[in-house]
């Protein structure tokens, strides 16, 4: 038998080369290329699925009209999780859940499987990382040891599929994690792109043929990509990331791709001593402990999918001792900060070129919306001038390069959430379509960034003593 041909595969993006390179041309990663025997795109197709050489089989073609039902779903009973999946796990679908190590993926999935098992479904939890005893200890800590979840510590995909095929088909199978799995059809080491891809393909085929929902856990590398499983993202039906940072207790579940549901929904959890607790009202959590009297803080009325979310944007603008002042952002796009700063300089006459600028989204939240521009600008102007913003106001609006404040979507929902949390003013762009009366809220429209700067400049300057809580 001829020696299996080896390929050089980038472990970050899965690009295949026929010789070693120091840098991957496809994704730009350094030292990520590893030799894999038989590594390549077609290596993992099992003989049973290959048609006889050169001769294809004829299959019937269908029209667009025909039977199409809502996919049958199994809700987990954990509302924040079901919100992100789109109402429950779809039969025969495969979900990839990615996240940093230690963020709580195994904990979340243990809680979800236990809830489903208690509801009478057959649920199997396969751990490739922890021994059965360790998983049991976690279940005990979560108070779930009595749920009828079937458990195994296994890493060979063929063995797993053979075991699952016995007895009643499971409603849900959790594979924790895909990086630890290996299949006989691929010859390279577990954890390599070829193995991860082949194992995932096998498990996806299992899901499609039996109707079981399969969850694959994937670890994320330091640059934020799901390592190895990056190459699996296009094969699965949904990609969900579990985010949060070590300094904060709450965790955010966010869907990045979902063939059967929304892609911009978030679910919010809090890590407690007894597992993950749902946070039904995240705005209150994100605004907890806010110092409304300090300059440089603005409350942003944001949207995450269909859900409004209030978060505090904090800015610190201080004269710089450096020739090249610092610009640092946590939780927002640094390019957008540069743009807002440039617009404030060009159209509102602010001098920020000799100042260090720090911007932080409080609580470890990450914001992607351009609607945050106005809140960020308000926080920057407030910090520069030393005047605190009105403590009962929320801000939202996109800033254009001309300094114009542009309307954003779902203004009414944002305003309603602010009213619910006890705010009394919303500072927002002029909008024709979504007028509304704001209910209990006073709506203050802004057309140009210079109006914001003038309004902040007219406010009283903050005294140095932190106890002086004068309000106007
Ligand atoms: P884990 O689910 O093992 O993370 P992952 O599978 O994503 O690697 O979660 C591990 C962390 O969660 C660990 O630091 C301990 C903490 N934790 C709690 O705070 N409370 C709990 O009830 C549990 C089970 C874990
Ligand atoms: Mg884990």
């Amino acid at each position: 038998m001829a020696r299996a041909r080896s390929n050089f595969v980038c472990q970050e993006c899965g690009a295949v080369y026929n010789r070693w390179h120091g840098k991957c041309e496809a994704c730009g990663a350094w030292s990520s290329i590893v030799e894999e025997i038989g590594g390549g795109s077609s290596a993992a197709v099992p003989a049973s699925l290959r048609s006889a050489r050169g001769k294809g089989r004829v299959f019937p073609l269908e029209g667009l009209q025909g039977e199409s039902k809502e996919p049958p779903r199994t809700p987990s009973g954990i509302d924040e999780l079901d919100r992100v999946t789109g109402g429950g796990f779809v039969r025969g679908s495969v979900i990839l859940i990615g996240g940093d190590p230690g963020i709580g993926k195994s904990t979340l999935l243990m809680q979800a499987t236990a809830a489903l098992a208690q509801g009478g479904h057959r649920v199997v939890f396969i751990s490739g990382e922890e021994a059965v005893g360790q998983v049991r200890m976690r279940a005990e800590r979560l108070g779930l040891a009595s749920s009828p979840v079937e458990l195994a510590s296994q890493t060979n995909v063929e063995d797993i599929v053979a075991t699952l095929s016995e007895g009643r088909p499971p409603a849900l199978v959790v594979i924790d994690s895909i990086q630890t799995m290996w299949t006989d059809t691929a010859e390279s080491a577990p954890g390599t792109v070829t193995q991860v891809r082949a194992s995932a393909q096998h498990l996806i085929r299992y899901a499609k043929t039996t109707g079981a929902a399969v969850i694959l856990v994937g670890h994320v590398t330091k640059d934020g990509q799901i390592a190895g499983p990056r190459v699996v993202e296009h094969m699965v039906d949904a990609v969900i990331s579990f985010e949060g940072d070590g300094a904060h207790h709450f965790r955010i579940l966010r869907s990045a791709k979902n063939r059967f549901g929304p892609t911009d929904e978030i679910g919010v959890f809090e890590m407690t001593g007894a597992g993950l607790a749902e946070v039904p009202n995240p705005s209150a959590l994100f605004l907890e402990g806010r110092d409304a009297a300090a300059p440089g803080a603005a409350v942003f009325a944001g949207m995450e999918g269909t859900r409004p979310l209030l978060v505090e944007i904090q800015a610190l603008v201080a004269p710089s001792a450096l020739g090249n002042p610092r610009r640092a952002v946590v939780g927002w796009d640094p390019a957008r900060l540069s743009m807002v700063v440039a617009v404030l300089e060009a159209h509102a006459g602010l001098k920020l070129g000799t100042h260090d600028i720090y911007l932080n989204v409080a609580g470890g939240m990450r914001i992607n919306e351009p609607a945050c521009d106005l809140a960020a600008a308000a926080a920057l102007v407030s910090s520069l001038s030393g005047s605190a913003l009105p403590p009962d106001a929320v801000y939202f609006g996109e800033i254009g390069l001309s300094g114009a404040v542009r309307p954003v979507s779902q203004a009414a929902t944002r305003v309603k959430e602010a009213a619910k949390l006890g705010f009394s003013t919303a500072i927002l762009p002029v909008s024709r379509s979504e007028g509304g009366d704001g209910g209990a809220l006073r709506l203050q429209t802004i057309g140009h960034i210079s109006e914001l700067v003038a309004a902040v400049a007219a406010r009283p300057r903050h005294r140095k003593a932190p106890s002086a809580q004068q309000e106007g």
Side-chain angles (χ1 to χ4, degrees):
M1 193 184 130
R3 185 183 174 275
R5 205 164 61 89
S6 65
N7 277 308
F8 294 84
V9 184
C10 171
Q11 302 299 304
E12 297 285 337
C13 71
V16 182
Y17 300 90
N18 52 19
R19 63 184 182 83
W20 190 84
H21 296 264
K23 181 186 180 187
C24 174
E25 296 294 332
C27 69
W30 286 94
S31 310
S32 64
I33 295 174
V34 167
E35 181 174 8
E36 293 187 12
I37 297 162
S41 43
S42 66
V45 180
S48 61
L49 285 184
R50 278 187 226 138
S51 56
R53 271 202 91 161
K55 256 188 273 162
R57 284 178 227 140
V58 176
F59 53 84
L61 296 166
E62 299 184 40
L64 285 175
Q65 278 182 339
E67 208 186 336
S68 66
K69 288 180 295 198
E70 256 294 290
R73 292 177 186 273
T74 318
S76 69
I78 300 176
D79 290 343
E80 294 291 307
L81 175 61
D82 291 340
R83 167 197 287 278
V84 176
T85 54
F89 304 114
V90 174
R91 285 195 59 203
S93 74
V94 180
I95 299 175
L96 175 68
I97 293 194
D100 291 333
I103 203 77
K105 300 180 293 297
S106 305
T107 306
L108 175 71
L109 293 174
M110 177 47 72
Q111 291 181 244
T113 47
L116 271 181
Q118 272 158 1
H121 299 278
R122 183 181 177 207
V123 184
V124 183
F125 193 106
I126 308 282
S127 178
E129 308 202 324
E130 291 163 294
V132 169
Q134 281 175 293
V135 181
R136 277 199 195 122
M137 259 161 57
R138 188 201 318 261
E140 258 163 49
R141 179 173 174 186
L142 297 171
L144 300 171
S146 62
S147 351
V149 175
E150 294 172 43
L151 198 62
S153 175
Q154 285 295 334
T155 53
N156 180 274
V157 175
E158 277 80 14
D159 293 353
I160 292 171
V161 168
T163 309
L164 293 177
S165 305
E166 303 220 311
R168 179 158 73 108
L172 179 71
V173 179
V174 172
I175 303 289
D176 186 10
S177 67
I178 187 66
Q179 275 109 333
T180 56
M181 295 294 137
W182 61 281
T183 150
D184 305 332
T185 55
E187 288 171 60
S188 41
T192 55
V193 167
T194 308
Q195 275 293 358
V196 166
R197 186 152 45 189
S199 303
Q201 254 162 10
H202 200 138
L203 290 163
I204 290 168
R205 219 160 31 236
Y206 167 77
K208 302 290 168 206
T209 49
T210 61
V214 173
I215 296 183
L216 307 176
V217 173
H219 291 294
V220 163
T221 47
K222 50 191 177 321
D223 59 0
Q225 310 290 345
I226 299 180
R230 193 84 240 261
V231 297
V232 177
E233 281 186 3
H234 66 281
M235 306 199 285
V236 297
D237 298 302
V239 178
I240 293 177
S241 63
F242 203 31
E243 305 166 354
D245 65 51
H248 296 100
H249 289 302
F250 54 83
R251 306 278 182 264
I252 292 164
L253 203 57
R254 196 189 284 274
S255 76
K257 159 184 171 177
N258 195 345
R259 288 185 182 147
F260 303 110
T263 52
D264 47 6
E265 286 295 350
I266 63 166
V268 184
F269 295 89
E270 192 173 5
M271 184 59 102
T272 70
L276 289 156
E278 297 182 60
V279 179
N281 183 2
S283 295
L285 181 79
F286 285 113
L287 293 179
E288 214 167 67
R290 168 174 91 95
D291 181 5
V299 176
F300 166 51
M303 292 294 301
E304 292 287 343
T306 56
R307 169 190 257 186
L309 190 62
L310 303 190
V311 282
E312 188 186 42
I313 311 291
Q314 305 169 339
L316 179 63
V317 180
S320 178
L322 305 167
N324 220 347
R326 272 173 174 278
R327 302 276 190 265
V329 195
V330 178
W332 201 43
D333 180 5
R336 280 220 81 91
L337 173 68
S338 304
M339 195 207 79
V340 169
V341 168
V343 171
L344 285 171
E345 289 187 319
H347 298 291
L350 260 53
K351 299 264 178 298
L352 295 162
T354 56
H355 287 73
D356 289 332
I357 297 178
Y358 302 90
L359 195 92
N360 179 38
V361 178
M365 181 71 196
R366 208 189 68 220
I367 292 176
N368 300 319
E369 267 196 299
C372 186
D373 291 354
L374 190 62
L380 290 168
V381 176
S382 161
S383 176
L384 179 71
S385 69
S387 313
L389 297 168
D392 52 358
V394 298
Y395 295 79
F396 61 90
E398 185 179 345
I399 295 176
L401 287 178
S402 64
V405 180
R406 302 156 50 109
V408 295
S409 63
Q410 308 187 73
T413 316
R414 297 172 200 262
V415 166
K416 219 166 116 198
E417 176 80 353
K420 203 173 97 193
L421 277 129
F423 287 85
S424 65
T425 314
I427 294 159
L428 73 175
V430 187
S431 161
R432 269 157 283 121
S433 51
E434 278 187 279
D437 56 357
L441 236 67
R442 199 160 59 85
L443 300 183
Q444 202 173 311
T445 57
I446 273 196
H448 193 269
I449 191 78
S450 55
E451 295 166 36
L452 173 79
V453 175
V456 176
R459 292 189 56 77
R461 289 283 298 268
H462 189 71
R463 294 275 151 262
K464 275 275 143 58
S467 57
Q469 293 213 355
Q470 45 149 268
E471 228 355 277

